[in-house]
């Protein structure tokens, strides 16, 4: 486990100042993480409607569902350094990345509900989101984000643009061949690519300790001359600082970087997961390091009134409530649309 101790008020002020962050920026990060948490918990609650007994094919939201509660700091710490023109490629656990990249939560919710007003007209669902407006995409194929983001990075370099591409993946995906192959090509071609490994310590139900011969994935990137960072994924400032360095390097033509963020998912790998592979005490211990509570406590130490934090949480909840209302009231796609937008 890699977690830094909480800084003193003096050290915290110095950290924020050296990071070039303002209180308004930190408050925006707090709001975005709150928005993600409210969204995920609301989707989680809706997912279980009509599923007693549990059946993935029943209820208003069908199919598998992978939620990211607990991992908000990684998405927001990275996303706060990106521009609209940058590309993000996510995984089967994509909602927090999509929201941090700027995806409309109404369209995101509608897509999860399979409605015609969704990002992909209801055809992509939870694991296959695509948002051309903010250059976000994801895939249910484990390990696919690495080469896909590398392709975008190659295009940026070929066209002489200073945009960057980011690939998110879990630590389990980093054991796929696409991880090493992408690292090698990106280093060789000096691509403006950032690989972010969200190390939540379990590949589905498999502990990282019995699947990886080295303690961390960032060590593998260093072997290919790629600057790599091991960060506290429950600390949005730590993630932000590492990402800022990686983005500056990529935009200036310096090539790729890797960020390994040690984080934790508070919910199961998927909804309906019995979680027999981990102890309740472990989950509760990690909940004590909730990234939203952690940032909120830091903001109060810096003099921000608790009322301002409560306002952000209330605003986030209202936005999510409106998004779910929009999704539920939206129509399903017309049957005829099953034959459009597909290869034939």
């Amino acid at each position: 486990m890699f977690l830094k101790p909480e800084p003193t008020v003096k050290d915290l002020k110095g950290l924020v100042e050296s990071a070039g962050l303002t209180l308004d920026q930190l408050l925006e990060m707090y709001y975005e993480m709150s928005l993600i948490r409210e969204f995920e918990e609301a989707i989680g609650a809706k997912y279980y409607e009509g599923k007693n007994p549990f059946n993935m094919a029943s209820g208003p939201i069908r199919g598998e569902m992978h939620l990211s509660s607990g991992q908000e700091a990684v998405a927001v710490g990275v996303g706060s350094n990106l521009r609209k023109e940058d590309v993000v490629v996510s995984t089967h656990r994509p909602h927090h990345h999509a929201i941090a990249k700027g995806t409309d939560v109404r369209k995101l919710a509608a897509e999860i509900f399979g409605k015609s007003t969704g990002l992909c007209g209801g055809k992509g669902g939870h694991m296959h989101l695509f948002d051309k407006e903010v250059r976000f995409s994801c895939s249910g194929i484990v390990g696919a984000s690495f080469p896909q983001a590398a392709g975008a990075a190659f295009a940026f370099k070929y066209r002489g643009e200073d945009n960057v591409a980011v690939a998110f993946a879990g630590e389990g995906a980093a054991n796929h061949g696409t991880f090493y192959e992408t690292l090698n090509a990106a280093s060789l071609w000096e691509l403006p690519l950032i690989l972010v490994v969200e190390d939540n310590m379990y590949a589905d139900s498999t502990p990282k300790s019995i699947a990886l011969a080295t303690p961390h994935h960032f060590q593998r990137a260093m072997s290919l001359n790629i600057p790599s960072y091991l960060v506290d994924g429950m600390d949005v400032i730590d993630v932000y600082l590492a990402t800022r360095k990686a983005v500056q390097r990529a935009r200036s033509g310096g090539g790729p970087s890797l960020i390994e963020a040690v984080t934790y998912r508070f919910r199961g790998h998927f909804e309906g997961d019995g979680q027999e592979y981990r102890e309740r005490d472990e989950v509760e211990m990690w909940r004590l390091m909730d990234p939203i509570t952690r940032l909120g406590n830091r903001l109060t130490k810096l003099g921000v009134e608790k009322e301002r934090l409560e306002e952000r949480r209330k605003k986030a909840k209202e936005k999510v409530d409106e998004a779910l209302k929009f999704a539920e009231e939206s129509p399903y796609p017309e049957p005829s649309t099953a034959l459009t937008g597909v290869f034939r």
Side-chain angles (χ1 to χ4, degrees):
M1 183 171 66
F2 180 77
L3 293 166
K4 295 181 179 179
E6 279 298 290
T8 63
V9 175
K10 180 180 178 181
D11 289 341
L12 180 57
K13 289 180 178 178
L15 176 63
V16 172
E17 184 178 344
S18 65
L21 290 167
T22 65
L23 288 182
D24 285 342
Q25 287 175 305
L26 289 174
L27 277 167
E28 181 61 24
M29 290 181 183
Y30 182 84
Y31 166 72
E32 288 189 10
M33 288 198 292
S34 298
L35 180 63
I36 292 168
R37 178 70 59 82
E38 292 288 347
F39 186 86
E40 295 291 68
E41 294 300 306
I43 289 294
K46 284 291 179 183
Y47 181 77
Y48 285 100
E49 290 185 4
K51 289 185 173 65
N52 186 19
F54 186 78
N55 179 358
M56 288 185 181
S58 63
I61 302 176
R62 302 178 182 184
E64 279 198 296
M65 180 59 60
H66 307 81
L67 300 176
S68 63
S69 297
Q71 300 183 195
E72 298 87 356
V74 183
V76 173
V78 173
S80 297
N81 284 280
L82 302 179
R83 304 189 301 219
K84 184 177 180 180
E85 296 78 18
D86 296 327
V87 161
V88 167
V89 184
S90 183
T91 68
H92 57 276
R93 194 183 312 281
H95 306 159
H96 55 323
H97 304 142
I99 294 172
K101 188 60 171 70
T103 290
D104 185 328
V105 291
R106 300 196 315 160
K107 293 180 180 179
L108 175 59
E111 187 61 37
I112 293 170
F113 275 78
K115 298 300 185 70
S116 61
T117 54
L119 292 169
C120 303
K123 294 182 178 181
H126 141 71
M127 283 194 287
H128 299 93
L129 307 169
F130 183 79
D131 188 349
K132 182 180 179 181
E133 293 300 314
V134 299
R135 292 190 171 185
F136 173 85
S137 65
C138 68
S139 172
I141 300 174
V142 178
S145 62
F146 302 127
Q148 290 171 354
F154 181 88
F156 292 149
K157 181 168 184 178
Y158 183 82
R159 295 197 295 254
E161 300 170 351
D162 69 344
N163 301 327
V164 304
V166 177
F168 283 99
E171 85 287 338
N175 278 329
H176 284 230
T178 52
F179 178 70
Y180 187 85
E181 292 164 1
T182 299
L183 285 173
N184 187 61
S187 181
L188 187 65
W189 299 336
E190 297 181 328
L191 299 182
L193 175 68
I194 301 169
L195 273 61
V196 181
V197 176
E198 288 183 293
D199 180 1
N200 60 27
M201 290 179 279
Y202 292 95
D204 196 328
S205 58
T206 303
K208 184 181 71 171
S209 59
I210 66 172
L212 185 66
T214 62
H216 295 286
H217 289 293
F218 81 90
Q219 297 165 308
R220 300 159 77 182
M222 291 178 69
S223 71
L224 291 167
N225 300 316
I226 294 177
S228 304
Y229 307 91
L230 179 63
V231 301
D232 182 347
M234 309 299 272
D235 178 354
V236 70
I237 298 176
D238 206 29
V239 178
Y240 174 87
L241 286 171
T243 306
R244 185 177 68 173
K245 294 176 183 177
V247 168
Q248 289 174 345
R249 170 181 165 84
R251 294 204 199 284
S252 64
S257 299
L258 181 135
I259 299 169
E260 183 171 0
V262 179
T263 185
Y264 200 81
R265 50 175 168 78
F266 294 158
R267 305 176 73 104
H269 171 70
F270 59 89
E271 294 306 298
D273 180 2
Q275 303 188 60
E276 293 89 353
Y277 51 87
R278 62 183 187 179
E279 299 293 331
R280 183 181 297 273
D281 288 348
E282 177 184 304
V283 180
E284 293 306 312
M285 184 274 291
W286 278 92
R287 282 188 177 275
L288 295 175
M289 293 172 282
D290 187 306
I292 301 174
T293 302
R294 205 170 177 187
L295 179 58
N297 290 339
R298 290 180 173 185
L299 285 166
T300 56
K301 285 182 181 180
L302 292 171
V304 176
E305 300 86 354
K306 289 185 178 180
E307 290 75 15
R308 295 183 69 186
L309 301 181
E310 291 170 0
E311 288 173 2
R312 287 339 185 253
R313 292 300 290 263
K314 181 181 178 182
K315 179 182 175 183
K317 186 178 186 308
E318 289 174 348
K319 190 166 185 176
V320 169
D321 288 345
E322 195 277 331
L324 261 66
K325 183 175 185 292
F326 172 79
E328 290 182 298
E329 293 178 352
S330 293
Y332 285 102
E334 292 292 331
S336 60
T337 62
L339 301 177
T340 62
V342 295
F343 290 107
R344 287 188 289 172

